[in-house]
Amino acid sequence: MAKVNTVLGSISTDELGVTLIHEHLATGFPGWEYDALTVPYDREVIGKVCAEALGQAKGYGLKTMVDATPNDLHRDVELAKKVSERTGLNIILATGLYKEADGASGYFRFRSQMFDTVTEIYEIFMKEITQGIGDTGVKAGVIKVATGHGCISAYEESVLRAAARTQKEIGVPIITHTEAGTMGPEQAELLISEGADPRHIVIGHMCGNANLQYHSSVLEKGVYIAFDRLGTEPLMPDSLRKACIIGLLGIGYANRIMLSHDYTRLLGRPWPWDKSDSLNPLIANWSYSHVFKNIIPALKEAGVSDDKINTMMVENPRCLFTRE
Ligand SMILES: [Zn+2]
């Protein structure tokens, strides 16, 4: 039976159930911790807030959340354990590195002048998946990679190659960040060329654009695509995201699409939306529950069957994590 690493141990793929494939608990862009006026990090408080928000989604049937936070955006194993214990939800952590511009790329860019950093990064991924993250004993369950807008830098390419090598060896899924829905086909090609299996790749943030021809060009590679920023109206109106999802479902792609929100709490000084979501009506719906509360009912209203909803929310994540 296929096994998946969660923060509270390994489970079978049949136990995943309804899954949000790309969310976060809390994230901080590298540098937030050097802001002398930052809001101090309080794991207890953040844990309670996360647990309450996820508890609402659990009320709609959520069973599993993939926390797609890479190593360099303040991934917090203890926080994830607390939230998982408090909610009873499965939480799957990632091992991975963010895109060059906004991640902590300096270390490996410098080392790449002297060492084979594809191998070094591969060693990180293998260590965190097979032995655990730090000395926590908690093993990562997915690999997260990311690229910038309209190009894949040499650094990002080394991270993608390391991820593909890791997957080829131990079969763990890869989920990606694309910037504004660019470089999807290129990410898929690069990963597959290095030995990754398209059936275990999710090309993320495909709802960063509303171009069906583009979506099809990514799907043709045999990968999954994620409409995983639902509720972030300033990036792309949900109306267009829904139109794309309905269109792609209509031409037979239910078994290749997953839905999520990329929801997070951003660390640092207060952000405009921290005080009250209602202050910013454009992201008022952005939460772990939006897919269940608003998107799925709208899809059903448009004629999408329960069967196809189940395929996107349960079957696709299960297949993604199932190794042959
Ligand atoms: Zn994300």
Side-chain angles (χ1 to χ4, degrees):
M1 190 179 288
K3 289 283 179 186
V4 183
N5 294 335
T6 78
V7 291
L8 298 183
S10 101
I11 62 170
S12 91
T13 52
D14 291 333
E15 293 173 83
L16 291 171
V18 173
T19 299
L20 289 171
I21 198 68
H22 188 132
E23 305 292 342
H24 303 273
L25 296 173
T27 47
F29 287 107
W32 78 272
E33 63 273 53
Y34 307 120
D35 181 352
L37 301 181
T38 195
V39 177
Y41 186 69
D42 187 331
R43 188 180 284 139
E44 266 309 312
V45 171
I46 292 177
K48 273 188 193 145
V49 174
C50 290
E52 196 188 316
L54 278 163
Q56 287 174 22
K58 191 185 176 189
Y60 289 98
L62 180 69
K63 288 271 188 302
T64 300
M65 183 202 95
V66 176
D67 183 337
T69 307
N71 303 24
D72 46 348
L73 293 195
H74 195 80
R75 180 190 55 178
D76 183 342
V77 177
E78 294 308 323
L79 173 69
K81 277 172 75 174
K82 256 184 215 302
V83 174
S84 181
E85 278 160 358
R86 204 166 272 166
T87 58
L89 293 170
N90 304 313
I91 297 181
I92 298 166
L93 289 182
T95 182
L97 292 166
Y98 202 47
K99 64 180 164 142
E100 179 166 350
D102 297 329
S105 56
Y107 175 67
F108 278 116
R109 271 193 292 129
F110 190 65
R111 285 187 72 82
S112 70
Q113 300 170 60
M114 293 154 273
F115 299 101
D116 169 11
T117 47
V118 175
T119 300
E120 292 192 340
I121 295 167
Y122 154 86
E123 287 166 353
I124 296 176
F125 296 163
M126 288 295 287
K127 194 267 174 194
E128 294 201 330
I129 296 163
T130 62
Q131 295 168 43
I133 298 166
D135 58 4
T136 63
V138 170
K139 295 173 182 173
V142 296
I143 308 167
K144 167 74 177 290
V145 302
T147 59
H149 192 276
C151 77
I152 298 176
S153 73
Y155 166 76
E156 290 158 356
E157 182 180 331
S158 62
V159 177
L160 265 71
R161 289 197 187 283
R165 275 189 211 175
T166 309
Q167 191 201 83
K168 192 179 171 191
E169 198 166 323
I170 54 174
V172 168
I174 297 169
I175 61 178
T176 81
H177 164 104
T178 58
E179 190 69 13
T182 63
M183 309 311 287
E186 292 83 357
Q187 283 188 346
E189 272 165 26
L190 181 53
L191 290 168
I192 293 164
S193 75
E194 192 70 35
D197 182 335
R199 293 169 300 172
H200 302 293
I201 297 172
V202 185
I203 302 296
H205 307 339
M206 284 294 95
C207 49
N209 72 58
N211 182 339
L212 286 171
Q213 200 170 9
Y214 175 83
H215 297 144
S216 300
S217 71
V218 182
L219 286 162
E220 276 165 15
K221 310 289 178 197
V223 295
Y224 291 98
I225 67 172
F227 283 72
D228 51 11
R229 283 184 154 173
L230 286 153
T232 58
E233 295 276 342
L235 298 177
M236 173 68 63
D238 267 1
S239 56
L240 289 177
R241 291 189 172 103
K242 282 184 276 190
C244 292
I245 296 165
I246 292 163
L248 291 167
L249 292 175
I251 56 170
Y253 280 124
N255 63 348
R256 283 283 163 253
I257 297 172
M258 295 189 221
L259 309 180
S260 210
H261 311 93
D262 200 13
Y263 188 70
T264 191
R265 272 150 212 85
L266 266 187
L267 304 174
R269 296 190 203 200
W271 300 87
W273 51 83
D274 282 343
K275 285 184 187 159
S276 160
D277 282 355
S278 61
L279 286 178
N280 190 342
L282 284 176
I283 56 159
N285 281 331
W286 190 43
S287 74
Y288 302 120
S289 302
H290 177 47
V291 160
F292 308 106
K293 213 160 131 187
N294 305 306
I295 300 297
I296 290 175
L299 297 181
K300 286 187 180 179
E301 180 73 28
V304 174
S305 66
D306 287 343
D307 213 36
K308 283 183 176 163
I309 304 286
N310 189 62
T311 299
M312 290 191 291
M313 302 308 298
V314 178
E315 282 307 305
N316 292 347
R318 191 180 61 76
C319 291
L320 176 76
F321 281 94
T322 301
R323 294 167 227 164
E324 294 74 27

